[in-house]
């Protein structure tokens, strides 16, 4: 999937009412991505500008090639990020730095993105041009053996907990933990540990 963002030539032909509808649909789609119950990983091997970076910001983890280019460049066009960028970027890299990047419409490469916390992993690009994709697959393979119910509620606990104070967050964690107790997978995990074998989770 290309993360380059909206087709600006197409946007230039739109009536102002069409622009609002377009941005609203983009925001809804990106919010759906953010609310998926499974872990999501954005692999950025090329360019993620504007809406492309907003989509990546909606993912749980971002991986990029060192040569990748990322930025929320909307202020260059006399608009602002409209699909979550003004909210997700500061939550990811901090308020002051997010303001700097949005105000300047600066584009950063993979190395700088890693140094400011925009991405979790940076990799040297390979000849095939899919180094970030390959790193994302490796991460996904680390996630796959874990209990599906635990993965879902861990994501829920983290996401909801980050929006509230610590005491409320701990109560959310407790409620999420409680969802794992009656599962067959929890018993399977204990049995597998006792029997020194890989667990066979079914998401039940």
């Amino acid at each position: 999937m290309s993360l380059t963002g909206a087709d600006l030539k197409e946007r230039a032909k739109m009536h102002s009412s069409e622009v609002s509808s377009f941005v609203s649909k983009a925001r809804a789609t990106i919010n759906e991505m953010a609310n998926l119950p499974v872990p999501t990983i954005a692999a950025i091997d090329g360019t993620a500008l504007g809406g492309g970076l907003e989509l990546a910001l909606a993912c749980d983890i971002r991986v990029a090639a060192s040569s990748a280019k990322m930025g929320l460049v909307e202020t260059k066009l006399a608009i602002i990020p409209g699909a979550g960028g003004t909210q997700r970027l500061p939550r990811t890299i901090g308020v002051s730095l997010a303001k700097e990047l949005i105000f300047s419409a600066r584009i950063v490469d993979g190395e700088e993105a890693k140094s400011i916390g925009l991405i979790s992993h940076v990799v040297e690009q390979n000849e095939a041009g899919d180094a970030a994709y390959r790193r994302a697959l490796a991460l996904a393979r680390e996630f796959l053996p874990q209990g599906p119910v635990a993965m879902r509620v861990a994501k829920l606990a983290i996401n909801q907990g980050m929006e509230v104070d610590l005491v409320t967050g701990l109560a959310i964690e407790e409620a999420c933990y409680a969802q794992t107790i009656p599962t067959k997978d929890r018993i399977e995990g204990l049995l597998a540990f006792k029997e020194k074998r890989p667990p066979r989770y079914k998401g039940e």
Side-chain angles (χ1 to χ4, degrees):
M1 173 192 327
S2 171
L3 293 178
T4 51
D7 182 337
L8 296 181
K9 290 177 184 172
E10 182 185 311
R11 287 273 290 272
K13 298 174 191 170
M14 287 183 183
H15 186 272
S16 57
S17 62
E18 292 176 298
V19 173
S20 294
S21 174
F22 175 86
V23 173
S24 181
K25 286 176 186 168
R27 186 182 305 113
T29 301
I30 289 172
N31 284 339
E32 283 180 25
M33 170 73 79
N35 292 325
L36 284 173
V38 295
T40 54
I41 307 169
I44 306 166
D45 274 306
T47 304
L49 301 176
L53 183 54
E54 288 178 300
L55 181 59
L57 283 164
C59 293
D60 299 311
I61 298 161
R62 284 162 298 286
V63 180
S66 54
S67 58
K69 302 296 179 198
M70 292 154 269
L72 294 179
V73 297
E74 287 86 349
T75 54
K76 270 188 182 172
L77 303 170
I79 57 174
I80 68 169
T86 64
Q87 301 307 303
R88 290 191 178 98
L89 187 64
R91 284 169 167 80
T92 302
I93 66 171
V95 173
S96 183
L97 197 48
K99 285 178 178 178
E100 182 181 326
L101 292 185
I102 290 171
F103 295 168
S104 65
R106 185 181 308 145
I107 296 172
V108 298
D109 64 15
E111 295 292 347
E112 186 175 357
K114 174 71 170 79
S115 74
I116 63 175
L118 178 55
I119 61 173
S120 300
H121 302 276
V122 61
V123 290
E124 285 299 316
Q125 190 55 280
N126 58 26
E127 282 187 25
D130 65 353
Y133 173 71
R134 288 176 182 272
R135 182 67 179 98
L137 280 180
L139 277 173
R141 287 187 189 104
E142 287 184 52
F143 301 163
L144 277 175
Q146 318 316 328
V149 175
M151 294 292 278
R152 179 175 51 78
V153 296
K155 178 170 176 171
L156 184 66
I158 294 166
N159 285 354
Q160 290 189 351
M162 291 307 297
E163 302 300 321
V164 297
D165 62 89
L166 180 60
V167 172
T168 307
L170 290 169
I172 290 168
E173 180 184 76
E174 184 179 5
C176 287
Y177 189 96
Q179 291 181 46
T180 66
I181 294 172
T183 64
K184 292 177 183 176
D185 281 353
R186 184 181 72 86
I187 302 303
E188 167 61 14
L190 293 171
L191 277 173
F193 180 78
K194 182 181 174 185
E195 296 167 8
K196 296 182 170 59
R197 62 169 173 81
R200 294 182 290 272
Y201 295 128
K202 296 179 180 174
E204 300 173 349

